[in-house]
Amino acid sequence: MDRAVQPGTKTAITEYDWGALDDIDGALAEADVLGIFGREGLDLATIWGEPKPTDPAAYAFRMYRDYDGAGGKFGDISVSAAGTDQGQLAIYGAATAP
């Protein structure tokens, strides 16, 4: 269903699992996918089995939701950000609403 044809239609990815949440490779994949979800304006995503607080992938979530331990978070307005080779360096940008 085309969102342009159905204004207000929400998009979700439910029960996704990239795996390896206890490994740095899984953490990098999770950080990248969270950036993609934000860039594409995904309305909802649910991971199947969250990482343990000490798993490397938990830090991917913290990077976006509480990077400083005091509620600092990635902005809620997606802004354009791009590198010359997305396969080598993933870049995502956001601003915080005033």
Side-chain angles (χ1 to χ4, degrees):
M1 183 178 299
D2 186 342
R3 289 177 81 164
V5 175
Q6 298 294 325
T9 300
K10 303 288 185 183
T11 304
I13 296 177
T14 58
E15 299 182 1
Y16 78 91
D17 181 6
W18 294 104
L21 298 177
D22 60 348
D23 187 84
I24 190 64
D25 293 334
L28 290 171
E30 189 63 43
D32 199 28
V33 80
L34 291 171
I36 293 167
F37 288 168
R39 181 189 68 205
E40 299 302 320
L42 189 67
D43 296 297
L44 173 81
T46 356
I47 191 168
W48 180 263
E50 73 277 359
K52 295 180 207 129
T54 56
D55 283 345
Y59 292 92
F61 283 96
R62 286 188 197 110
M63 182 174 66
Y64 288 100
R65 304 302 305 154
D66 188 18
Y67 61 80
D68 60 1
K73 63 181 180 172
F74 199 68
D76 52 358
I77 301 169
S78 182
V79 297
S80 179
T84 57
D85 186 350
Q86 186 77 5
Q88 293 294 317
L89 176 64
I91 301 172
Y92 305 99
T96 303

